Amino acid sequence: MKNLTRTGAVLLIIAATLLVYWPALRNGFVWDDTALVLRDPLIRSWRLIPEGFQHFLFLDATASNFYRPLQRLSFVFDYQVYGFDQPWGWHLTSILAHAGAAVALFFAANGLLAQIEARVRQGIACVVAVIWAIHPLATSAVTYVAGRADPLAALFGFTGVALGLASIQAQRRAGLWKLGAALCLFLATLSKESGMIFLPLWLLILAWRKETRRLLLPWAGIAVVIVGAYSGLRFTAEKVPPPKAAPTPAAIRPILAARAFAGYTGLLVWPTDLHMERDVTTHPLGNPEATLRHAHALEYQTLAGVLLLIGFVLWMRHCFRREPTAALCLAAFVIAYLPISNVFPLNATIAEHWLYVPSAFLFLAVALMVRAHWERLTTPRLLRCVLAGIAAAWVGLLFYVGFTRQADWRDQRTFITSTMAAGGESARMLMNLGNVEFGAGHQEAALGLYREALRRTPDQPIIWLGYASILLRAHDFDGARQAVEHAEKSPFLVADCLNLRASLESAASGRDPGDLLRQAVAAAPENWSIRKRYLEYLHGQPGQQQATLHELHDFLQQHPFRAETWRMLATVLEEQHQIPLAIEAWREAATRDVRDKISRTELQRLAAVPK
């Protein structure tokens, strides 16, 4: 590695990344890809890019606090090039973003280690970047299209750090490098909320260099501008407040923090037990015995976490005394890790992809410590070979696990079943597998999975709502009514319950669903699926064409970006023989979806009609 050139290092990093992740090109869309890719109307045209910056994610799904316009922008690119029938292209973009982030990490690490001889530091930076790129913990951020926010934030964040370090060393055009660094740090925040950590990380690096007046103060001002610009975009964007979960009591957070630290440590060292659903809280499982075993295991995990945290603090203390650059990397790890440590309230207690950025600084600190102790090692050559062999075997394990895990994300059924096999049958996974089974026509299997999910967590309204939907389609109307009554206990599901009741009462007793649908629209006026159902109902009623047009125009005034709404408007206008207006509506639909063949076909048809 000492003779490795920068070009060779970059090629090696890219090759290693592509070699591990190429099986992902066979995968389809899974989990949140349904909402963020298949159902997001804002990714379907370049014209909608400004609109994409004005909305949070999950526009047509469960509300969220995720403001990630650059992730959506990358999806715009993929949709233009690949559409929905070539998911391999979407996966390729995610893989390339991850490879780019690894290359950016190489340059950032190379700049951080400026005090080390050039060839040595390039070798260290390359080894760290390769290990980080192929480590299986990254699969849930790379193989999963909806997880692309992590690679994008890392790509821009590490690039910002690398450019900032280059601006310090540059003899010419330092201002240009600084501008590029500031822009990249800003883009990191627009990629994912956790991208904001790169700002304090960069300020930490500057403070470590003890150039407070010359560099730190100006950059602090730039950081204020970046935060202000980001806040201006985020807090003026439209969002629906998501349901608020009960906050974790402050007394419990240290326990969860210790357990999470132990869990992350195990995954970093021996990443063989990987799955999407992870939790470090005590909760009931399938039977009392399993619940008790799980609780005992968590107690041991708490103890292990406390001991590991003590060991980490002692390690940092040693580095501050003996290896200052390693201490800097550990301090950077702490800054990146604190937001996910459970010290602050989170929407989960542990997640593999949360270590995506923090692990890079930890690997760099370990590499520096290994180098320092390796140079001081006076053991026989055979022992050195054995240690090197163990390290090589560990890297081989990372490659093998990362490569083989790509198959876990092949399709929705494979993803859910592999997650359940590795992490247990949580109620949420049982519910989603029930949806898969029902979609495949396995009605009894779907009902059985829903019943098991409700047996485990009978107080989950969203599961009752899904159960009611399946019972309705199975023509068990009494059971569906009882299930809806349970779902109605949640104030966040009022509109969905009214929408389902409209279908239920219509199917069970022939009742006109109009009144219930109007109530559902009033409860959630921005929900397109509910509004669409009401519009379809109005459209089918005699003498309601003008009311349909009024509803469509009213909705389009607030949400003019939906091609589907314009298509519906064009259809109604054409039925009323308002051909010029219908043509304009079809044209509006086509401009909002570059792959809208229906609208383009209708435009050609109407253009051929004699005036």
Side-chain angles (χ1 to χ4, degrees):
M1 282 292 179
K2 288 187 177 181
N3 296 321
L4 193 66
T5 65
R6 286 192 180 186
T7 302
V10 169
L11 293 176
L12 178 60
I13 294 166
I14 295 174
T17 305
L18 296 178
L19 198 57
V20 169
Y21 284 99
W22 73 261
L25 300 180
R26 304 173 181 174
N27 296 349
F29 298 116
V30 300
W31 205 237
D32 286 340
D33 292 347
T34 303
L36 297 184
V37 174
L38 302 180
R39 285 174 21 210
D40 189 347
L42 294 175
I43 69 170
R44 304 194 177 194
S45 173
W46 294 107
R47 295 172 181 265
L48 297 177
I49 289 176
E51 191 76 34
F53 278 76
Q54 300 175 33
H55 297 269
F56 279 53
L57 293 185
F58 292 95
L59 193 63
D60 282 348
T62 304
S64 76
N65 277 320
F66 302 147
Y67 180 69
R68 302 170 183 177
L70 282 197
Q71 178 180 347
R72 178 176 272 146
L73 178 60
S74 73
F75 290 168
V76 172
F77 168 82
D78 284 341
Y79 184 74
Q80 316 303 301
V81 178
Y82 307 111
F84 294 144
D85 56 343
Q86 299 182 81
W88 67 266
W90 299 70
H91 290 289
L92 178 62
T93 303
S94 293
I95 294 169
L96 293 177
H98 179 55
V103 171
L105 171 60
F106 165 75
F107 284 104
N110 197 45
L112 279 175
L113 308 181
Q115 78 284 359
I116 301 176
E117 193 267 326
R119 291 182 178 179
V120 176
R121 72 168 179 262
Q122 286 179 190
I124 294 173
C126 180
V127 169
V128 169
V130 168
I131 290 175
W132 183 78
I134 69 172
H135 200 288
L137 272 181
T139 54
S140 55
V142 183
T143 310
Y144 178 36
V145 174
R148 189 184 297 169
D150 282 294
L152 288 174
L155 170 62
F156 291 115
F158 288 134
T159 302
V161 171
L163 292 177
L165 291 168
S167 71
I168 297 174
Q169 303 296 330
Q171 300 297 323
R172 300 174 57 189
R173 299 181 180 177
L176 188 61
W177 291 112
K178 182 183 291 187
L179 178 62
L183 177 61
C184 286
L185 293 173
F186 179 51
L187 295 178
T189 66
L190 294 178
S191 299
K192 189 178 181 181
E193 290 76 6
S194 61
M196 187 67 72
I197 65 169
F198 284 100
L199 279 173
L201 285 174
W202 174 237
L203 296 178
L204 169 68
I205 293 169
L206 293 177
W208 200 273
R209 297 175 66 93
K210 299 180 180 179
E211 299 189 64
T212 305
R213 182 172 298 178
R214 187 173 73 90
L215 295 174
L216 185 57
L217 292 179
W219 268 106
I222 294 173
V224 170
V225 172
I226 291 174
V227 172
Y230 172 77
S231 300
L233 289 170
R234 181 183 179 92
F235 295 116
T236 58
E238 291 186 14
K239 62 172 291 189
V240 176
K244 290 185 178 180
T248 304
I252 299 177
R253 289 180 201 165
I255 298 174
L256 298 181
R259 292 175 181 175
F261 195 79
Y264 285 134
T265 303
L267 291 174
L268 283 168
V269 175
W270 198 254
T272 56
D273 180 31
L274 299 175
H275 49 87
M276 175 65 82
E277 288 255 301
R278 311 193 76 90
D279 193 7
V280 293
T281 59
T282 304
H283 53 81
L285 298 177
N287 56 71
E289 293 78 12
T291 302
L292 187 60
R293 287 195 302 270
H294 180 63
H296 285 162
L298 287 177
E299 293 307 315
Y300 286 115
Q301 189 171 347
T302 304
L303 177 60
V306 171
L307 295 176
L308 286 167
L309 283 168
I310 293 173
F312 182 81
V313 171
L314 293 175
W315 182 22
M316 281 197 71
R317 183 184 177 190
H318 170 78
C319 289
F320 272 104
R321 292 178 174 180
R322 300 288 186 87
E323 301 294 336
T325 306
L328 170 61
C329 295
L330 290 178
F333 167 78
V334 171
I335 290 176
Y337 180 76
L338 271 178
I340 64 167
S341 65
N342 286 288
V343 173
F344 307 103
L346 298 166
N347 61 355
T349 55
I350 184 172
E352 294 166 9
H353 66 281
W354 286 352
L355 272 187
Y356 187 76
V357 170
S359 62
F361 296 102
L362 192 62
F363 292 151
L364 188 55
V366 171
L368 290 171
M369 290 298 296
V370 169
R371 169 188 173 265
H373 286 82
W374 189 266
E375 291 179 347
R376 301 168 189 160
L377 202 61
T378 59
T379 53
R381 181 181 180 86
L382 177 61
L383 181 57
R384 285 178 174 243
C385 292
V386 170
L387 293 175
I390 292 173
W394 181 71
V395 173
L397 172 71
L398 299 184
F399 181 91
Y400 173 77
V401 175
F403 183 87
T404 55
R405 199 184 175 217
Q406 307 306 311
D408 291 349
W409 305 79
R410 179 65 55 85
D411 51 48
Q412 186 76 337
R413 179 185 292 277
T414 303
F415 167 73
I416 294 173
T417 54
S418 63
T419 299
M420 292 171 64
E425 298 179 346
S426 69
R428 185 166 71 149
M429 285 297 173
L430 287 167
M431 176 185 70
N432 281 280
L433 184 57
N435 294 336
V436 172
E437 293 290 1
F438 191 82
H442 307 148
Q443 181 175 296
E444 289 303 318
L447 289 170
L449 288 164
Y450 262 95
R451 292 186 185 111
E452 177 59 22
L454 289 169
R455 186 184 71 81
R456 299 188 180 201
T457 55
D459 58 343
Q460 288 293 326
I462 188 66
I463 301 180
W464 281 108
L465 183 66
Y467 186 46
S469 179
I470 291 182
L471 288 172
L472 169 61
R473 297 177 191 179
H475 302 288
D476 183 356
F477 302 133
D478 291 335
R481 287 193 182 95
Q482 294 175 11
V484 171
E485 289 174 2
H486 285 282
E488 287 172 335
K489 295 177 182 178
S490 169
F492 299 101
L493 298 178
V494 170
D496 295 286
C497 289
L498 287 167
N499 191 39
L500 186 59
R501 275 199 177 276
S503 300
L504 173 58
E505 298 305 327
S506 177
S509 60
R511 173 184 170 183
D512 186 286
D515 184 52
L516 288 170
L517 290 174
R518 277 187 286 272
Q519 293 179 46
V521 169
E526 296 186 354
N527 187 307
W528 168 240
S529 63
I530 292 176
R531 181 72 70 106
K532 178 184 176 183
R533 169 85 188 286
Y534 179 55
L535 287 166
E536 290 172 343
Y537 161 78
L538 277 181
H539 188 213
Q541 299 299 304
Q544 293 294 325
Q545 298 301 304
Q546 287 301 321
T548 305
L549 285 174
H550 175 76
E551 286 286 336
L552 283 166
H553 284 297
D554 178 65
F555 190 74
L556 282 169
Q557 283 183 352
Q558 301 298 323
H559 301 275
F561 49 80
R562 294 182 185 274
E564 190 176 7
T565 314
W566 286 103
R567 287 198 297 267
M568 186 177 288
L569 176 63
T571 300
V572 177
L573 288 170
E574 190 172 350
E575 290 174 353
Q576 293 201 337
H577 307 291
Q578 300 184 43
I579 304 303
L581 292 178
I583 291 175
E584 186 60 30
W586 285 120
R587 185 174 291 112
E588 293 288 344
T591 60
R592 286 163 173 79
D593 188 342
V594 297
R595 292 182 172 272
D596 185 358
K597 296 180 180 179
I598 295 175
S599 297
R600 287 168 175 75
T601 300
E602 291 300 312
L603 279 172
Q604 293 175 358
R605 178 181 62 82
L606 290 177
V609 174
K611 301 294 188 291

